[in-house]
Amino acid sequence: MATSLICSETQSRVSSVLHRDVKQYGKKYMFDNNEETCWNSDQGECQWVSLDFPKSVRVSEIKILFQGGFSAKTCILEGCLREGDFTEISQFYPEDNNCLQSFPIQEAPAVDKVKILFENGADFFGRVIVYSLDVLGEKTS
């Protein structure tokens, strides 16, 4: 049974925060279960979120809620072991809307870190707004 892999020990990083205003738009707002808060990236080519899990995991699903008009048309899920280099696991293609979207990940390897790259953004300036992000799967160790 797949469960959320994000816990209090999961470390997250993002490519940017709008105007560096982490108090209003920081990465923590993707994981706070509050539909009023969000991570808002600054403008730029390719925005991303990375997660470093306390134990090895096998990802089976990504759930994400974008702000319509500020989504990515292509997302690339990458993963790696603790000291390894990121390699592509899967690609998925969100719709540009305000709905929670779910993307199954087939036959993912065991990883310690994942990175989601947001490419081909709907916003002209490359900004991405994420209200909710969850990574489902199972712990492997």
Side-chain angles (χ1 to χ4, degrees):
M1 176 77 186
T3 59
S4 178
L5 298 171
I6 298 172
C7 66
S8 61
E9 298 172 50
T10 304
Q11 296 178 358
S12 62
R13 293 180 58 216
V14 293
S15 51
S16 64
V17 175
L18 185 65
H19 307 303
R20 295 190 178 113
D21 187 354
V22 295
K23 288 187 180 187
Q24 233 182 334
Y25 304 116
K27 62 188 178 183
K28 66 184 177 188
Y29 296 120
M30 286 185 283
F31 313 111
D32 68 354
N33 296 317
N34 181 345
E35 59 189 37
E36 302 292 320
T37 61
C38 61
W39 165 61
N40 193 333
S41 79
D42 216 333
Q43 59 187 13
E45 275 293 308
C46 183
Q47 302 299 328
W48 52 264
V49 172
S50 71
L51 300 168
D52 188 346
F53 300 102
K55 297 190 178 202
S56 293
V57 299
R58 186 166 280 113
V59 176
S60 62
E61 187 177 358
I62 303 289
K63 289 188 173 187
I64 192 162
L65 174 59
F66 289 104
Q67 166 74 47
F70 294 91
S71 67
K73 295 176 186 160
T74 304
C75 294
I76 300 172
L77 175 66
E78 296 181 337
C80 69
L81 295 173
R82 190 78 44 219
E83 300 302 323
D85 294 327
F86 282 101
T87 58
E88 185 175 316
I89 296 172
S90 182
Q91 289 189 19
F92 52 97
Y93 305 94
E95 294 180 26
D96 185 22
N97 61 34
N98 299 325
C99 299
L100 182 63
Q101 300 178 60
S102 179
F103 303 95
I105 306 300
Q106 304 297 324
E107 300 177 24
V111 295
D112 296 313
K113 302 176 188 177
V114 296
K115 187 180 220 178
I116 302 170
L117 304 164
F118 302 109
E119 295 187 335
N120 305 318
D123 175 58
F124 181 74
F125 297 103
R127 295 169 295 191
V128 173
I129 299 176
V130 177
Y131 279 85
S132 171
L133 174 66
D134 202 0
V135 178
L136 305 179
E138 60 186 16
K139 295 175 181 156
T140 60
S141 62

